[in-house]
Amino acid sequence: MAAVRLCRCRCRALLSRVPGAPRALRGLAAGPEVHFGFQSVTEEDRREKIYQVFESVAKKYDVMNDSMTLGIHRVWKDILVHKMNPSPGTLLLDVAGGTGDIAFRFINYVRAVRERQLQRKLKHHQNLSWQEIFENYQEDKSDSLGDSQVVVCDINREMLKVGKQKAQHLGYSKGLSWVLGNAEELPFDDDMFDVYTIAFGIRNVTRIDLALEEAYRVLKPGGRFLCLEFSHVSNPLLSRLYDLYSFQVIPVLGEVIAGDWKSYQYLVESIRRFPPQEELKAMIEDAGFFKVDYENLNFGIVAIHSGFKL
């Protein structure tokens, strides 16, 4: 808990000195040319363009996710959290998690585990009076997360704003923190978190190698890295159909639903430029992680990569 309080203090300090786009974003060097979708741009330009993309789509982000994936993204995120299998007391860092989808699922999962633990505990106290059972139940249930915490870190203010509004609307507050920060330069101490997740965010990071090094740095020894991301379809026929849907349908949906063709054209292009499963696996291993593997979902449309800091 002290670590979380330290995190919040550091994050408040970070927020107080950021007038617009995050300072960490501006402070990184322009660097060589990189890809923004199918365009070649400098690293600095790419960071600014991606910031603008998510600033533009933030308010319609969840609606567009449902539209683009026909709602299947919800199943993929459920699978990610079940793969994580967090227990009460887990400290999670969810990077690029602005709208809170992973954070809310984490909280729900831990609450369910905690409730099952409580039920098992009560079954072993059959000799207690009704009053004693009631009092024990109320005392334990008041700590429904068992000291678990999730810190949502995102580089984009608008995405965090949407996430906070969702949390308030859905009634999530306890065990949840929101932090403005860059995946390439995280505002957290070393060896701080039990689990690091990044869902549909790492392909938007300009320097994936830096983001992976930062993930390794902030995880405790024994901590787990989990990445859910669009990937590469191996079946040739399905790949052609997927390309047709991606390039001909998704930008149109972006224009109709969000009034933003260009941002969703970029998102499609960014998926095609992203490293395939084996290449990303090698990058995660290069960052220092062990026992790295991945699971393809829906024929490789998305993949979950996992690794451990040992």
Side-chain angles (χ1 to χ4, degrees):
M1 293 301 291
V4 174
R5 285 194 294 271
L6 174 61
C7 155
R8 287 173 178 162
C9 290
R10 293 189 63 188
C11 294
R12 280 196 293 269
L14 178 69
L15 286 165
S16 67
R17 68 172 183 254
V18 183
R23 181 173 175 177
L25 180 150
R26 292 207 209 96
L28 293 168
E33 284 199 340
V34 292
H35 293 286
F36 175 77
F38 292 157
Q39 302 176 44
S40 293
V41 296
T42 66
E43 287 185 359
E44 182 179 9
D45 284 345
R46 186 181 193 272
R47 292 185 182 100
E48 293 292 344
K49 284 177 179 292
I50 290 173
Y51 188 88
Q52 290 165 9
V53 164
F54 285 93
E55 190 172 49
S56 171
V57 304
K59 291 180 180 178
K60 296 288 187 178
Y61 185 76
D62 289 331
V63 175
M64 276 301 300
N65 278 346
D66 282 333
S67 301
M68 289 189 303
T69 69
L70 306 178
I72 300 173
H73 74 100
R74 298 172 182 269
V75 177
W76 295 334
K77 291 168 183 174
D78 287 340
I79 293 172
L80 176 70
V81 174
H82 279 269
K83 196 176 184 73
M84 185 196 313
N85 190 25
S87 57
T90 298
L91 183 57
L92 167 66
L93 174 63
D94 182 36
V95 175
T99 60
D101 275 4
I102 302 302
F104 304 152
R105 282 170 169 77
F106 169 83
I107 290 172
N108 291 342
Y109 193 97
V110 172
R111 281 177 178 169
V113 172
R114 181 72 170 162
E115 180 68 21
R116 289 195 296 271
Q117 290 177 344
L118 181 54
Q119 293 293 337
R120 287 195 296 268
K121 178 182 176 182
L122 291 176
K123 286 180 181 179
H124 291 296
H125 293 83
Q126 298 294 332
N127 59 332
L128 295 178
S129 68
W130 176 87
Q131 183 65 30
E132 288 172 324
I133 291 174
F134 177 79
E135 289 174 357
N136 285 339
Y137 182 81
Q138 291 300 316
E139 181 181 345
D140 289 339
K141 195 168 185 181
S142 64
D143 185 17
S144 62
L145 292 176
D147 292 330
S148 292
Q149 294 275 338
V150 53
V151 179
V152 179
C153 180
D154 200 289
I155 199 169
N156 194 285
R157 284 183 182 275
E158 286 300 312
M159 293 290 284
L160 287 173
K161 181 180 177 181
V162 171
K164 290 177 184 178
Q165 290 170 344
K166 278 177 61 180
Q168 185 176 19
H169 176 71
L170 296 171
Y172 294 99
S173 59
K174 187 176 181 181
L176 177 61
S177 303
W178 305 87
V179 173
L180 186 71
N182 185 356
E184 300 174 41
E185 193 177 356
L186 293 170
F188 307 109
D189 292 334
D190 297 354
D191 305 330
M192 188 169 176
F193 297 95
D194 299 305
V195 183
Y196 172 115
T197 54
I198 182 165
F200 303 116
I202 201 165
R203 77 179 186 281
N204 299 309
V205 173
T206 298
R207 290 284 304 277
I208 295 175
D209 57 335
L210 293 183
L212 293 173
E213 288 171 8
E214 281 291 272
Y216 187 88
R217 180 183 67 79
V218 301
L219 278 170
K220 298 174 183 176
R224 189 176 191 182
F225 169 87
L226 285 164
C227 172
L228 171 65
E229 188 54 87
F230 287 108
S231 200
H232 291 255
V233 178
S234 56
N235 182 287
L237 176 59
L238 182 58
S239 180
R240 285 195 293 272
L241 293 173
Y242 182 42
D243 279 345
L244 181 65
Y245 174 77
S246 298
F247 287 100
Q248 301 300 322
V249 177
I250 289 179
V252 175
L253 288 174
E255 180 64 30
V256 172
I257 296 173
D260 192 341
W261 177 294
K262 289 184 178 179
S263 291
Y264 287 94
Q265 180 72 24
Y266 155 73
L267 292 175
V268 172
E269 292 175 0
S270 71
I271 294 169
R272 296 305 180 273
R273 300 292 316 189
F274 190 67
Q277 290 88 324
E278 283 292 331
E279 187 176 335
L280 180 60
K281 178 177 182 284
M283 294 174 73
I284 296 169
E285 290 171 336
D286 288 344
F289 289 98
F290 289 87
K291 293 180 65 66
V292 179
D293 60 15
Y294 62 87
E295 176 185 0
N296 284 327
L297 304 178
N298 294 92
F299 304 99
I301 290 177
V302 299
I304 298 176
H305 281 73
S306 170
F308 294 86
K309 177 178 177 177
L310 302 179

